[in-house]
Amino acid sequence: MPKFITFDVMDTIQLKDLSFKPYISSAEIATAVKNVAARINEDLAGKNPLFLCVLNGAFVFAADLFREITIPGAEIAFIRMKSYIGTQSSGEVQLVSGLTEDISGRTVVIVEDIVDSGFTLKQLKSILQECNPAEIKVATLLFKPESLKCDVTIDYVALDIPPAFIVGYGLDYDELGRNLKDIYSVVQD
Ligand code: 5GP
Ligand code: MG
């Protein structure tokens, strides 16, 4: 079996050609997720929100976030989009697998792993808007404010980060690293 991930004494990891260093611990992530969930529980109480997890990257965040949601009518569904090739946003966003649920008249909460340029989110919002939801909210684990290139509203951000490329907790580098419990940032050379 090829060995893709190696650990050294400094906790730096190697994924294919790139090195990553520990950046946000699983404990810090858990606290941030709980804080976001508490705000959502308060804001959307009494509604029956449909949480829409954007696969693949948001699957870990969505699982942790959704279990902190105490709104009795809360439901979850999954949609698949892709915009990254390697460590660069391709600029072209593809809807790889579509929505089967009826969202008309409902409160939809898009659950994203990370908002970078914002193009994925903007396009997803316009696709969903055509299905006449009552409202669309956005919850993201991570937000890179300095990378935002379009006008899009984000209602709930767990953690703001600078523009560096990160992996772990669902986020990948060429499909590797999604299983890391902590978040790592790329080591620039
Ligand atoms: P955007 O369209 O906002 O530029 O990018 C959104 C998507 O690109 C995210 O949902 C995520 O899948 C991917 N992405 C953006 N920044 C990063 C990053 O630092 N690391 C990883 N692994 N994926 C990222
Ligand atoms: Mg994503």
Side-chain angles (χ1 to χ4, degrees), residues 48 50 99-108 128-136:
N48 69 326
L50 177 67
L99 181 69
T100 50
E101 285 71 17
D102 180 11
I103 62 165
S104 62
R106 292 196 70 172
T107 295
V108 172
L128 296 178
Q129 210 67 62
E130 287 169 23
C131 305
N132 303 312
E135 58 182 340
I136 301 175

Side-chain angles (χ1 to χ4, degrees), residues 65 75 79 109 144 170 172 189:
L65 178 74
E75 295 174 24
I79 197 165
V109 183
K144 297 180 186 170
D172 72 306
D189 43 28

Side-chain angles (χ1 to χ4, degrees), residues 54-58 81-84 86-87 89-91 93 112-122 142 144 147-149 161 163-168 170-174 176 178:
V54 184
L55 296 171
N56 290 341
M81 303 195 77
K82 203 171 170 69
S83 78
Y84 255 59
T87 61
S89 191
S90 68
V93 181
E112 262 288 17
D113 50 359
I114 188 163
V115 179
D116 185 35
S117 68
F119 290 129
T120 305
L121 186 57
K122 193 159 178 149
L142 300 159
K144 297 180 186 170
S147 303
L148 193 65
K149 292 195 183 74
I161 59 165
F165 183 76
I166 55 101
V167 293
L171 291 113
D172 72 306
Y173 170 47
D174 279 350
L176 296 178
R178 295 192 195 276

Side-chain angles (χ1 to χ4, degrees), residues 3 10-11 41 76 82 84 106 114 131 134 140 143 145 177 187:
K3 200 174 176 196
M10 298 299 289
D11 287 334
N41 285 332
I76 190 162
K82 203 171 170 69
Y84 255 59
R106 292 196 70 172
I114 188 163
C131 305
T140 187
F143 176 41
V187 177

